[in-house]
C-alpha cells in the first residue's frame, strides 16, 4: 500500500507505520566532548567561540575547559552528578558547559532570565552538587556551593589536559520543561543520545567543512543545542548573540552570508516577516534549520522569498528525544514541491535520523499519535517514576522503549511524516513549550481562587488568557497579582489577560469547554472598551495609538492599557515599531514590551 514505508502492520482499526533511520553506524567517539577535544587539537588557531566582548580560539577553549574540568573534579564532581550553570550567553558559559561534561558531570542550565523561585526549584529537584556562575545577580540556590566563572581565579589552575570522564551511558544534561501538574519536569539526557544527534548534524550539514552558527535562543530550550555543538565539532565558529538580543537584530544577523546554520522557529519567521517589512531576495545563512512548532507552507514561502539562497529544513523532535529526530529538506525538488501544499497546510517533517524509529498508529480517521524509539531517547523524567513509566512505554517482543510524544501525525504516500499538532493541553507560546495546566496550577494557589482555566488564542494574535473563578475583576487587574505570577512563572507563561468568571463552562461530557473560552477570549480581544480615551486628531501621538490598535487588531487602545495585556507580543511590538517608523516616530519594540502602560511606551512622542 505504501512502498516507501519501512514497515506497515494492519491493525484492527487502522494501520501502524514504522519509519526507520539508518542503523549500524558506529559512533565515532564516546561523547561529544571527546569530539570537541579532537577538534581543538586539529584547529588550535581557529576562532571557536565569539561573543559580544570576547572571542576565543580552539587552543584557548581546550585550555579553559581542561582547567575548569580539573577544578570540578577537585570539587568532587563525578558521573551522574548535576552541576548548575548560570550565565548569560558568553564564551565563559560555553567553557562551563563543556567543562562539566568533560569532568563527567551533567549540566543543568539555569537561565538568569527565569524567576529565582523556579531556578531554586530546579537546583533542588536535580540535587545539583554546585552552581557555576557569576554570583552578583544570582538568587540563593538553597546554600549550594557556587564557583564564579570569570577568568581570574581559574587562571591559577594548571592547564594540563584532563581526560574525558564521560561514558556513553552517563548523564550529559538535565533540561526542564513545563509540567502539567504545576511544576516543571526535568528530562534526563545521556551522552550516547546527544552524540547520536550531533553526529547526524555533522553528516547532514558539514561535508567535512567547518560550520559557523549563530546561537541566539535560550539554552534552556534544547533547540539551541544544534547551534551550540555543531561548530565546535567541525572547527567552525560559534557566534553568540548578545544577551539582550533585540528581535530586529535577528533579521540583520541572518543576512550574514558567512553563517552556515541558523536555527529558527516558525514564530521567528513571523518576526522576520515583520522586521523585514516587504523586503526580499536578501543574502542569508546557508542553512535555516526550522523546528519547534508546526511549520506551514505560507511560512516556507515567506522565508524563501526573504532568503532565496538559503536551504530550508523542517526538523522535529521533543526534548525527551533530544532536539530533533527527523528532518525534511524543503528546497524545491522531486521530493518536495511547495505548490502541492495550500498556504495553511503543515509541511512534512520527513524521515528519521540514524538510530531512530518513528511509529504512527493511524486510526480510521487517518492520524495517530507519534511514538519515538532508538538511541536518542532520554532516560526519563527526574524524580517522576510514574510519569516516566506512562510516557516511555515498553512494547513489542524485544521490549523496546517508545516515547509517547502526544503529537498527532500522519505518514504520506512518500513515506514521510507530517506532524499535525497536539491532542492535549500542551501549547507553544512564541516557540516556548507550555503546559496550560502548569499556569492553571499557579493560579489556583492564589488566595480566593476556586478554579482557573487558561487558553491560547491566535486571533487577533497569539496570547494566553486566564479565566478565573473566585476573585473579582479588580483583584485580577491588580498589579500585585501579575507581579506574583511573574515571580513564579517564566515571562512567556504569564497570561496576557486575566478575566473573572462565575464558573467555568463545561462541555456536554462535563469536561472543561476550552473551545468556548477561546471563542470568548477572541471575541473580547477583537473589541475594546473605552474609559480613558486616547488622543484624537491627526497628531503623531494619536497616529501612534491608532497604529497600535491596528497591529493588535482591536478597535481602540487606551493610554492606561498594557501592551501585553492586550495580547501584544514581540511580533506585534515589532510591527508597531515598524508602523511608527513609517510615521517618522522612533519607537523601539523592547520599550513597548517593557513598559506598564502605552502612555509610558509613548512618552516623548509629541502630538
Ligand atoms: P520541545 O520539547 O520544546 O522541543 O517541544 C516539542 C514539541 O514541539 C513537539 O512535541 C511538537 O509538539 C512541537 N514541535 C517541535 N518541532 C516541530 C516541527 N518541526 N513540527 C511540528 N511540531 C513541532
Amino acid at each position: 500500500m505504501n512502498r516507501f514505508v519501512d514497515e506497515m502492520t494492519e491493525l484492527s482499526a487502522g494501520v501502524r507505520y514504522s519509519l526507520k533511520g539508518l542503523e549500524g553506524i558506529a559512533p565515532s567517539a564516546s561523547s561529544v566532548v571527546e569530539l570537541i577535544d579532537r577538534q581543538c587539537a586539529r584547529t588550535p588557531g581557529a576562532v571557536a567561540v565569539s561573543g559580544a566582548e570576547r572571542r576565543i580560539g580552539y587552543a584557548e577553549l581546550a585550555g579553559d575547559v581542561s582547567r575548569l574540568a580539573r577544578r570540578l573534579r577537585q570539587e568532587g564532581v563525578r558521573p551522574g552528578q548535576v552541576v548548575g550553570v548560570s550565565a548569560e550567553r558568553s564564551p565563559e558559559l560555553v567553557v562551563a558547559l563543556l567543562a562539566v561534561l568533560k569532568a563527567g558531570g551533567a549540566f543543568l542550565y539555569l537561565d538568569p532570565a527565569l524567576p529565582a523561585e523556579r531556578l531554586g526549584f530546579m537546583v533542588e529537584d536535580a540535587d545539583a552538587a554546585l552552581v557555576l556562575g557569576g554570583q552578583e545577580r544570582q538568587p540563593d540556590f538553597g546554600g549550594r556551593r557556587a564557583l564564579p566563572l570569570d577568568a581570574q581565579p581559574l587562571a591559577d589552575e594548571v592547564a594540563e589536559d584532563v581526560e574525558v570522564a564521560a561514558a556513553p551511558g552517563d548523564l550529559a544534561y538535565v533540561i526542564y520543561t513545563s509540567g502539567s501538574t504545576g511544576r516543571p519536569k526535568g528530562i534526563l539526557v545521556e551522552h550516547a543520545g546527544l552524540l547520536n544527534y550531533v553526529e547526524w548534524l555533522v553528516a547532514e550539514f558539514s561535508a567535512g567543512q567547518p560550520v559557523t552558527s549563530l546561537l541566539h535562543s535560550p539554552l534552556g530550550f534544547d533547540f539551541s543545542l544544534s547551534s551550540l555543538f555543531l561548530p565546535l565539532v567541525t572547527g567552525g565558529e560559534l557566534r553568540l548573540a548578545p544577551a539582550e538580543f533585540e528581535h530586529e537584530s535577528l533579521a540583520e544577523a541572518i543576512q550574514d552570508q558567512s553563517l552556515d546554520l541558523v536555527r529558527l522557529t516558525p514564530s521567528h519567521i513571523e518576526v522576520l516577516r515583520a522586521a523585514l517589512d516587504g523586503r526580499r531576495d536578501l543574502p542569508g545563512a546557508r542553512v535555516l534549520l526550522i523546528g519547534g512548532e508546526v511549520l506551514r507552507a505560507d511560512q516556507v514561502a515567506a522565508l524563501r522569498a526573504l532568503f532565496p539562497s538559503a536551504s530550508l529544513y523542517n526538523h522535529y523532535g521533543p526534548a525527551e528525544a533530544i532536539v530533533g529526530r527527523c528532518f525534511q529538506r524543503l528546497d524545491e525538488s522531486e521530493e518536495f514541491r511547495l505548490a502541492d501544499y495550500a498556504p495553511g497546510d503543515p509541511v512534512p517533517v520527513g524521515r528519521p535520523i540514524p538510530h531512530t524509529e518513528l511509529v504512527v498508529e493511524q486510526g480510521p480517521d487517518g492520524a495517530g499519535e507519534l511514538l519515538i524509539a532508538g538511541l536518542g531517547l532520554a532516560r526519563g523524567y527526574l524524580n517522576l517514576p510514574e510519569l516516566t513509566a506512562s510516557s516511555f512505554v515498553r512494547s513489542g517482543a524485544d521490549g523496546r522503549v517508545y516515547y509517547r510524544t502526544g503529537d498527532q501525525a500522519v505518514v504520506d504516500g512518500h513515506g514521510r511524516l507530517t506532524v499535525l499538532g497536539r491532542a492535549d493541553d500542551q501549547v507553544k507560546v512564541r516557540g516556548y513549550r507550555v503546559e496550560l495546566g502548569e499556569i492553571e496550577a499557579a493560579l489556583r494557589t492564589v488566595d480566593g481562587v476556586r478554579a482557573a482555566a487558561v487558553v491560547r488564542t491566535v486571533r487577533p494574535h497569539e496570547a494566553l488568557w486566564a479565566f478565573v473563578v473566585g476573585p473579582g475583576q479588580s483583584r485580577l487587574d491588580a498589579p500585585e497579582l501579575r507581579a506574583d505570577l511573574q515571580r513564579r512563572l517564566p515571562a512567556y507563561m504569564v497570561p496576557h489577560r486575566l478575566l473573572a468568571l462565575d464558573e467555568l463552562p463545561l462541555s456536554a461530557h462535563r469536561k472543561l469547554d476550552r473551545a468556548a473560552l477561546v471563542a470568548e477570549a477572541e471575541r473580547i480581544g477583537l473589541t475594546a472598551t473605552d474609559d480613558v480615551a486616547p488622543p484624537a486628531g491627526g497628531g503623531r501621538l494619536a497616529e501612534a495609538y491608532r497604529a497600535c490598535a491596528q497591529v493588535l487588531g482591536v478597535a481602540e487602545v487606551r493610554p492606561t492599557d498594557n501592551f501585553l495585556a492586550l495580547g501584544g507580543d514581540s511580533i506585534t511590538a515589532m510591527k508597531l515599531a515598524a508602523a511608527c517608523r513609517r510615521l517618522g516616530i522612533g519607537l523601539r519594540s523592547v520599550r513597548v514590551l517593557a513598559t506598564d502602560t502605552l502612555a509610558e511606551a509613548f512618552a516623548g512622542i509629541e502630538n
Side-chain angles (χ1 to χ4, degrees), residues 31 33-34 37 61-63 65-70 72-73 95-105 160-166 191:
S31 72
V33 260
E34 206 179 304
D37 261 8
L61 178 70
V65 169
S66 280
R67 259 191 294 273
L68 185 52
R70 177 182 298 277
L72 290 171
R73 291 262 184 83
V95 167
L97 299 172
L98 299 183
V100 172
L101 295 180
K102 191 160 187 181
E160 248 170 63
D161 198 14
V162 174
E163 227 172 87
V164 178
H191 276 281

PDB file of all heavy atoms in Angstrom, residues 31 33-34 37 61-63 65-70 72-73 95-105 160-166 191:
ATOM      1  N   SER A  31      31.672  10.457  23.501  1.00  0.00           N
ATOM      2  CA  SER A  31      30.874  11.617  23.900  1.00  0.00           C
ATOM      3  C   SER A  31      31.200  12.801  22.997  1.00  0.00           C
ATOM      4  O   SER A  31      32.224  12.801  22.305  1.00  0.00           O
ATOM      5  CB  SER A  31      31.170  11.995  25.353  1.00  0.00           C
ATOM      6  OG  SER A  31      32.460  12.560  25.418  1.00  0.00           O
ATOM      7  N   VAL A  33      32.087  15.728  23.994  1.00  0.00           N
ATOM      8  CA  VAL A  33      33.312  16.436  24.441  1.00  0.00           C
ATOM      9  C   VAL A  33      34.570  15.804  23.869  1.00  0.00           C
ATOM     10  O   VAL A  33      35.547  16.499  23.619  1.00  0.00           O
ATOM     11  CB  VAL A  33      33.472  16.544  25.980  1.00  0.00           C
ATOM     12  CG1 VAL A  33      33.055  17.884  26.476  1.00  0.00           C
ATOM     13  CG2 VAL A  33      32.798  15.430  26.723  1.00  0.00           C
ATOM     14  N   GLU A  34      34.512  14.494  23.656  1.00  0.00           N
ATOM     15  CA  GLU A  34      35.679  13.851  23.043  1.00  0.00           C
ATOM     16  C   GLU A  34      35.857  14.385  21.618  1.00  0.00           C
ATOM     17  O   GLU A  34      36.970  14.687  21.199  1.00  0.00           O
ATOM     18  CB  GLU A  34      35.436  12.342  23.032  1.00  0.00           C
ATOM     19  CG  GLU A  34      36.699  11.531  23.034  1.00  0.00           C
ATOM     20  CD  GLU A  34      36.379  10.046  23.055  1.00  0.00           C
ATOM     21  OE1 GLU A  34      35.658   9.585  23.972  1.00  0.00           O
ATOM     22  OE2 GLU A  34      36.827   9.343  22.131  1.00  0.00           O
ATOM     23  N   ASP A  37      37.313  17.845  21.851  1.00  0.00           N
ATOM     24  CA  ASP A  37      38.747  17.762  22.190  1.00  0.00           C
ATOM     25  C   ASP A  37      39.586  17.511  20.943  1.00  0.00           C
ATOM     26  O   ASP A  37      40.600  18.157  20.720  1.00  0.00           O
ATOM     27  CB  ASP A  37      38.974  16.594  23.159  1.00  0.00           C
ATOM     28  CG  ASP A  37      39.062  17.081  24.592  1.00  0.00           C
ATOM     29  OD1 ASP A  37      38.791  18.278  24.813  1.00  0.00           O
ATOM     30  OD2 ASP A  37      39.390  16.270  25.476  1.00  0.00           O
ATOM     31  N   LEU A  61      40.147  27.509  24.134  1.00  0.00           N
ATOM     32  CA  LEU A  61      38.949  26.781  24.595  1.00  0.00           C
ATOM     33  C   LEU A  61      39.384  25.494  25.305  1.00  0.00           C
ATOM     34  O   LEU A  61      38.925  25.193  26.412  1.00  0.00           O
ATOM     35  CB  LEU A  61      38.044  26.458  23.394  1.00  0.00           C
ATOM     36  CG  LEU A  61      36.784  25.656  23.705  1.00  0.00           C
ATOM     37  CD1 LEU A  61      35.791  26.498  24.497  1.00  0.00           C
ATOM     38  CD2 LEU A  61      36.109  25.159  22.420  1.00  0.00           C
ATOM     39  N   ALA A  62      40.295  24.760  24.652  1.00  0.00           N
ATOM     40  CA  ALA A  62      40.756  23.486  25.243  1.00  0.00           C
ATOM     41  C   ALA A  62      41.375  23.729  26.616  1.00  0.00           C
ATOM     42  O   ALA A  62      41.085  23.012  27.582  1.00  0.00           O
ATOM     43  CB  ALA A  62      41.764  22.821  24.308  1.00  0.00           C
ATOM     44  N   GLY A  63      42.212  24.773  26.712  1.00  0.00           N
ATOM     45  CA  GLY A  63      42.889  25.070  27.981  1.00  0.00           C
ATOM     46  C   GLY A  63      41.894  25.442  29.066  1.00  0.00           C
ATOM     47  O   GLY A  63      41.945  24.912  30.184  1.00  0.00           O
ATOM     48  N   VAL A  65      38.679  24.817  29.233  1.00  0.00           N
ATOM     49  CA  VAL A  65      37.786  23.703  29.593  1.00  0.00           C
ATOM     50  C   VAL A  65      38.534  22.728  30.508  1.00  0.00           C
ATOM     51  O   VAL A  65      38.002  22.283  31.526  1.00  0.00           O
ATOM     52  CB  VAL A  65      37.243  22.992  28.323  1.00  0.00           C
ATOM     53  CG1 VAL A  65      36.553  21.686  28.671  1.00  0.00           C
ATOM     54  CG2 VAL A  65      36.295  23.916  27.566  1.00  0.00           C
ATOM     55  N   SER A  66      39.782  22.441  30.170  1.00  0.00           N
ATOM     56  CA  SER A  66      40.552  21.498  30.989  1.00  0.00           C
ATOM     57  C   SER A  66      40.757  22.028  32.400  1.00  0.00           C
ATOM     58  O   SER A  66      40.618  21.293  33.376  1.00  0.00           O
ATOM     59  CB  SER A  66      41.921  21.230  30.370  1.00  0.00           C
ATOM     60  OG  SER A  66      41.763  20.307  29.345  1.00  0.00           O
ATOM     61  N   ARG A  67      41.118  23.314  32.486  1.00  0.00           N
ATOM     62  CA  ARG A  67      41.332  23.909  33.816  1.00  0.00           C
ATOM     63  C   ARG A  67      40.080  23.792  34.679  1.00  0.00           C
ATOM     64  O   ARG A  67      40.128  23.378  35.829  1.00  0.00           O
ATOM     65  CB  ARG A  67      41.687  25.395  33.672  1.00  0.00           C
ATOM     66  CG  ARG A  67      43.166  25.676  33.807  1.00  0.00           C
ATOM     67  CD  ARG A  67      43.402  27.162  33.912  1.00  0.00           C
ATOM     68  NE  ARG A  67      43.033  27.855  32.687  1.00  0.00           N
ATOM     69  CZ  ARG A  67      43.857  28.023  31.670  1.00  0.00           C
ATOM     70  NH1 ARG A  67      45.089  27.569  31.719  1.00  0.00           N
ATOM     71  NH2 ARG A  67      43.463  28.650  30.578  1.00  0.00           N
ATOM     72  N   LEU A  68      38.950  24.165  34.084  1.00  0.00           N
ATOM     73  CA  LEU A  68      37.725  24.147  34.879  1.00  0.00           C
ATOM     74  C   LEU A  68      37.283  22.709  35.186  1.00  0.00           C
ATOM     75  O   LEU A  68      36.799  22.414  36.284  1.00  0.00           O
ATOM     76  CB  LEU A  68      36.611  24.921  34.147  1.00  0.00           C
ATOM     77  CG  LEU A  68      35.300  25.105  34.890  1.00  0.00           C
ATOM     78  CD1 LEU A  68      35.502  25.701  36.272  1.00  0.00           C
ATOM     79  CD2 LEU A  68      34.342  26.001  34.090  1.00  0.00           C
ATOM     80  N   ALA A  69      37.510  21.802  34.234  1.00  0.00           N
ATOM     81  CA  ALA A  69      37.139  20.394  34.467  1.00  0.00           C
ATOM     82  C   ALA A  69      37.955  19.833  35.628  1.00  0.00           C
ATOM     83  O   ALA A  69      37.443  19.121  36.498  1.00  0.00           O
ATOM     84  CB  ALA A  69      37.355  19.573  33.199  1.00  0.00           C
ATOM     85  N   ARG A  70      39.245  20.195  35.635  1.00  0.00           N
ATOM     86  CA  ARG A  70      40.115  19.724  36.723  1.00  0.00           C
ATOM     87  C   ARG A  70      39.588  20.241  38.066  1.00  0.00           C
ATOM     88  O   ARG A  70      39.487  19.505  39.044  1.00  0.00           O
ATOM     89  CB  ARG A  70      41.537  20.238  36.487  1.00  0.00           C
ATOM     90  CG  ARG A  70      42.530  19.879  37.572  1.00  0.00           C
ATOM     91  CD  ARG A  70      43.871  20.488  37.252  1.00  0.00           C
ATOM     92  NE  ARG A  70      44.396  19.961  35.996  1.00  0.00           N
ATOM     93  CZ  ARG A  70      45.051  18.809  35.889  1.00  0.00           C
ATOM     94  NH1 ARG A  70      45.256  18.068  36.948  1.00  0.00           N
ATOM     95  NH2 ARG A  70      45.502  18.398  34.736  1.00  0.00           N
ATOM     96  N   LEU A  72      36.576  21.124  38.774  1.00  0.00           N
ATOM     97  CA  LEU A  72      35.302  20.468  39.112  1.00  0.00           C
ATOM     98  C   LEU A  72      35.554  19.081  39.703  1.00  0.00           C
ATOM     99  O   LEU A  72      34.885  18.658  40.645  1.00  0.00           O
ATOM    100  CB  LEU A  72      34.397  20.369  37.879  1.00  0.00           C
ATOM    101  CG  LEU A  72      33.833  21.711  37.390  1.00  0.00           C
ATOM    102  CD1 LEU A  72      33.126  21.544  36.048  1.00  0.00           C
ATOM    103  CD2 LEU A  72      32.843  22.277  38.411  1.00  0.00           C
ATOM    104  N   ARG A  73      36.535  18.390  39.152  1.00  0.00           N
ATOM    105  CA  ARG A  73      36.891  17.075  39.715  1.00  0.00           C
ATOM    106  C   ARG A  73      37.343  17.230  41.162  1.00  0.00           C
ATOM    107  O   ARG A  73      36.975  16.441  42.025  1.00  0.00           O
ATOM    108  CB  ARG A  73      38.035  16.458  38.920  1.00  0.00           C
ATOM    109  CG  ARG A  73      37.657  16.055  37.551  1.00  0.00           C
ATOM    110  CD  ARG A  73      37.333  14.571  37.483  1.00  0.00           C
ATOM    111  NE  ARG A  73      37.082  14.266  36.094  1.00  0.00           N
ATOM    112  CZ  ARG A  73      38.034  14.012  35.210  1.00  0.00           C
ATOM    113  NH1 ARG A  73      39.285  13.932  35.594  1.00  0.00           N
ATOM    114  NH2 ARG A  73      37.736  13.796  33.963  1.00  0.00           N
ATOM    115  N   VAL A  95      32.446  27.501  27.918  1.00  0.00           N
ATOM    116  CA  VAL A  95      33.529  26.796  28.624  1.00  0.00           C
ATOM    117  C   VAL A  95      32.940  26.013  29.801  1.00  0.00           C
ATOM    118  O   VAL A  95      33.265  24.842  30.023  1.00  0.00           O
ATOM    119  CB  VAL A  95      34.601  27.802  29.116  1.00  0.00           C
ATOM    120  CG1 VAL A  95      35.557  27.140  30.102  1.00  0.00           C
ATOM    121  CG2 VAL A  95      35.357  28.384  27.923  1.00  0.00           C
ATOM    122  N   ALA A  96      32.047  26.644  30.543  1.00  0.00           N
ATOM    123  CA  ALA A  96      31.484  25.992  31.733  1.00  0.00           C
ATOM    124  C   ALA A  96      30.699  24.731  31.358  1.00  0.00           C
ATOM    125  O   ALA A  96      30.863  23.680  31.984  1.00  0.00           O
ATOM    126  CB  ALA A  96      30.580  26.977  32.478  1.00  0.00           C
ATOM    127  N   LEU A  97      29.872  24.822  30.324  1.00  0.00           N
ATOM    128  CA  LEU A  97      29.065  23.650  29.933  1.00  0.00           C
ATOM    129  C   LEU A  97      29.983  22.496  29.521  1.00  0.00           C
ATOM    130  O   LEU A  97      29.781  21.344  29.926  1.00  0.00           O
ATOM    131  CB  LEU A  97      28.131  24.007  28.774  1.00  0.00           C
ATOM    132  CG  LEU A  97      27.092  25.112  29.041  1.00  0.00           C
ATOM    133  CD1 LEU A  97      26.374  25.482  27.761  1.00  0.00           C
ATOM    134  CD2 LEU A  97      26.084  24.667  30.104  1.00  0.00           C
ATOM    135  N   LEU A  98      31.009  22.828  28.721  1.00  0.00           N
ATOM    136  CA  LEU A  98      31.913  21.774  28.242  1.00  0.00           C
ATOM    137  C   LEU A  98      32.734  21.191  29.389  1.00  0.00           C
ATOM    138  O   LEU A  98      33.009  19.992  29.429  1.00  0.00           O
ATOM    139  CB  LEU A  98      32.834  22.315  27.149  1.00  0.00           C
ATOM    140  CG  LEU A  98      32.144  22.838  25.879  1.00  0.00           C
ATOM    141  CD1 LEU A  98      33.180  23.268  24.853  1.00  0.00           C
ATOM    142  CD2 LEU A  98      31.210  21.793  25.270  1.00  0.00           C
ATOM    143  N   ALA A  99      33.125  22.050  30.343  1.00  0.00           N
ATOM    144  CA  ALA A  99      33.932  21.566  31.466  1.00  0.00           C
ATOM    145  C   ALA A  99      33.123  20.607  32.329  1.00  0.00           C
ATOM    146  O   ALA A  99      33.647  19.594  32.810  1.00  0.00           O
ATOM    147  CB  ALA A  99      34.439  22.744  32.293  1.00  0.00           C
ATOM    148  N   VAL A 100      31.849  20.904  32.522  1.00  0.00           N
ATOM    149  CA  VAL A 100      31.006  19.996  33.314  1.00  0.00           C
ATOM    150  C   VAL A 100      30.976  18.633  32.630  1.00  0.00           C
ATOM    151  O   VAL A 100      31.163  17.589  33.273  1.00  0.00           O
ATOM    152  CB  VAL A 100      29.573  20.558  33.477  1.00  0.00           C
ATOM    153  CG1 VAL A 100      28.664  19.529  34.135  1.00  0.00           C
ATOM    154  CG2 VAL A 100      29.577  21.863  34.264  1.00  0.00           C
ATOM    155  N   LEU A 101      30.802  18.643  31.307  1.00  0.00           N
ATOM    156  CA  LEU A 101      30.745  17.368  30.572  1.00  0.00           C
ATOM    157  C   LEU A 101      32.085  16.642  30.658  1.00  0.00           C
ATOM    158  O   LEU A 101      32.141  15.435  30.857  1.00  0.00           O
ATOM    159  CB  LEU A 101      30.378  17.616  29.109  1.00  0.00           C
ATOM    160  CG  LEU A 101      28.986  18.197  28.844  1.00  0.00           C
ATOM    161  CD1 LEU A 101      28.766  18.401  27.353  1.00  0.00           C
ATOM    162  CD2 LEU A 101      27.898  17.272  29.402  1.00  0.00           C
ATOM    163  N   LYS A 102      33.154  17.401  30.499  1.00  0.00           N
ATOM    164  CA  LYS A 102      34.475  16.770  30.495  1.00  0.00           C
ATOM    165  C   LYS A 102      34.804  16.172  31.861  1.00  0.00           C
ATOM    166  O   LYS A 102      35.415  15.098  31.958  1.00  0.00           O
ATOM    167  CB  LYS A 102      35.539  17.794  30.100  1.00  0.00           C
ATOM    168  CG  LYS A 102      36.867  17.165  29.812  1.00  0.00           C
ATOM    169  CD  LYS A 102      37.762  18.036  28.975  1.00  0.00           C
ATOM    170  CE  LYS A 102      39.002  17.250  28.603  1.00  0.00           C
ATOM    171  NZ  LYS A 102      39.944  18.013  27.822  1.00  0.00           N
ATOM    172  N   ALA A 103      34.364  16.832  32.909  1.00  0.00           N
ATOM    173  CA  ALA A 103      34.616  16.317  34.261  1.00  0.00           C
ATOM    174  C   ALA A 103      33.769  15.071  34.537  1.00  0.00           C
ATOM    175  O   ALA A 103      33.965  14.391  35.537  1.00  0.00           O
ATOM    176  CB  ALA A 103      34.310  17.399  35.291  1.00  0.00           C
ATOM    177  N   GLY A 104      32.807  14.809  33.649  1.00  0.00           N
ATOM    178  CA  GLY A 104      31.951  13.630  33.825  1.00  0.00           C
ATOM    179  C   GLY A 104      30.584  13.979  34.390  1.00  0.00           C
ATOM    180  O   GLY A 104      29.726  13.115  34.518  1.00  0.00           O
ATOM    181  N   GLY A 105      30.357  15.245  34.723  1.00  0.00           N
ATOM    182  CA  GLY A 105      29.071  15.650  35.293  1.00  0.00           C
ATOM    183  C   GLY A 105      28.023  15.919  34.224  1.00  0.00           C
ATOM    184  O   GLY A 105      28.279  15.751  33.027  1.00  0.00           O
ATOM    185  N   GLU A 160      47.116  21.682  32.194  1.00  0.00           N
ATOM    186  CA  GLU A 160      47.335  20.354  31.611  1.00  0.00           C
ATOM    187  C   GLU A 160      46.016  19.733  31.176  1.00  0.00           C
ATOM    188  O   GLU A 160      44.989  19.998  31.801  1.00  0.00           O
ATOM    189  CB  GLU A 160      47.866  19.440  32.718  1.00  0.00           C
ATOM    190  CG  GLU A 160      49.286  19.019  32.533  1.00  0.00           C
ATOM    191  CD  GLU A 160      49.724  18.334  33.807  1.00  0.00           C
ATOM    192  OE1 GLU A 160      49.131  17.285  34.121  1.00  0.00           O
ATOM    193  OE2 GLU A 160      50.616  18.872  34.490  1.00  0.00           O
ATOM    194  N   ASP A 161      46.085  18.877  30.163  1.00  0.00           N
ATOM    195  CA  ASP A 161      44.820  18.307  29.697  1.00  0.00           C
ATOM    196  C   ASP A 161      44.264  17.336  30.748  1.00  0.00           C
ATOM    197  O   ASP A 161      44.996  16.756  31.529  1.00  0.00           O
ATOM    198  CB  ASP A 161      45.032  17.597  28.364  1.00  0.00           C
ATOM    199  CG  ASP A 161      43.708  17.385  27.667  1.00  0.00           C
ATOM    200  OD1 ASP A 161      42.714  18.025  28.090  1.00  0.00           O
ATOM    201  OD2 ASP A 161      43.653  16.586  26.733  1.00  0.00           O
ATOM    202  N   VAL A 162      42.965  17.213  30.712  1.00  0.00           N
ATOM    203  CA  VAL A 162      42.287  16.319  31.641  1.00  0.00           C
ATOM    204  C   VAL A 162      41.574  15.289  30.784  1.00  0.00           C
ATOM    205  O   VAL A 162      40.994  15.640  29.764  1.00  0.00           O
ATOM    206  CB  VAL A 162      41.217  17.121  32.436  1.00  0.00           C
ATOM    207  CG1 VAL A 162      40.397  16.210  33.313  1.00  0.00           C
ATOM    208  CG2 VAL A 162      41.871  18.207  33.234  1.00  0.00           C
ATOM    209  N   GLU A 163      41.624  14.052  31.169  1.00  0.00           N
ATOM    210  CA  GLU A 163      40.949  13.032  30.372  1.00  0.00           C
ATOM    211  C   GLU A 163      39.433  13.174  30.472  1.00  0.00           C
ATOM    212  O   GLU A 163      38.917  13.515  31.542  1.00  0.00           O
ATOM    213  CB  GLU A 163      41.338  11.665  30.908  1.00  0.00           C
ATOM    214  CG  GLU A 163      41.725  10.715  29.806  1.00  0.00           C
ATOM    215  CD  GLU A 163      42.271   9.453  30.401  1.00  0.00           C
ATOM    216  OE1 GLU A 163      41.439   8.574  30.691  1.00  0.00           O
ATOM    217  OE2 GLU A 163      43.505   9.371  30.600  1.00  0.00           O
ATOM    218  N   VAL A 164      38.745  12.899  29.359  1.00  0.00           N
ATOM    219  CA  VAL A 164      37.286  12.992  29.383  1.00  0.00           C
ATOM    220  C   VAL A 164      36.752  11.871  30.273  1.00  0.00           C
ATOM    221  O   VAL A 164      37.084  10.703  30.085  1.00  0.00           O
ATOM    222  CB  VAL A 164      36.702  12.838  27.960  1.00  0.00           C
ATOM    223  CG1 VAL A 164      35.192  12.874  27.990  1.00  0.00           C
ATOM    224  CG2 VAL A 164      37.265  13.904  27.032  1.00  0.00           C
ATOM    225  N   ALA A 165      35.904  12.237  31.236  1.00  0.00           N
ATOM    226  CA  ALA A 165      35.424  11.214  32.173  1.00  0.00           C
ATOM    227  C   ALA A 165      34.056  10.653  31.789  1.00  0.00           C
ATOM    228  O   ALA A 165      33.536   9.789  32.478  1.00  0.00           O
ATOM    229  CB  ALA A 165      35.375  11.808  33.574  1.00  0.00           C
ATOM    230  N   ALA A 166      33.460  11.173  30.698  1.00  0.00           N
ATOM    231  CA  ALA A 166      32.078  10.788  30.386  1.00  0.00           C
ATOM    232  C   ALA A 166      31.996   9.501  29.565  1.00  0.00           C
ATOM    233  O   ALA A 166      32.669   9.367  28.556  1.00  0.00           O
ATOM    234  CB  ALA A 166      31.407  11.918  29.635  1.00  0.00           C
ATOM    235  N   HIS A 191      24.807  10.806  27.333  1.00  0.00           N
ATOM    236  CA  HIS A 191      25.792  11.145  26.303  1.00  0.00           C
ATOM    237  C   HIS A 191      25.540  10.439  24.971  1.00  0.00           C
ATOM    238  O   HIS A 191      25.702  11.034  23.911  1.00  0.00           O
ATOM    239  CB  HIS A 191      27.204  10.797  26.789  1.00  0.00           C
ATOM    240  CG  HIS A 191      27.787  11.889  27.622  1.00  0.00           C
ATOM    241  ND1 HIS A 191      28.323  13.023  27.080  1.00  0.00           N
ATOM    242  CD2 HIS A 191      27.871  12.042  28.958  1.00  0.00           C
ATOM    243  CE1 HIS A 191      28.735  13.823  28.040  1.00  0.00           C
ATOM    244  NE2 HIS A 191      28.470  13.250  29.197  1.00  0.00           N
TER     245      HIS A 191
END
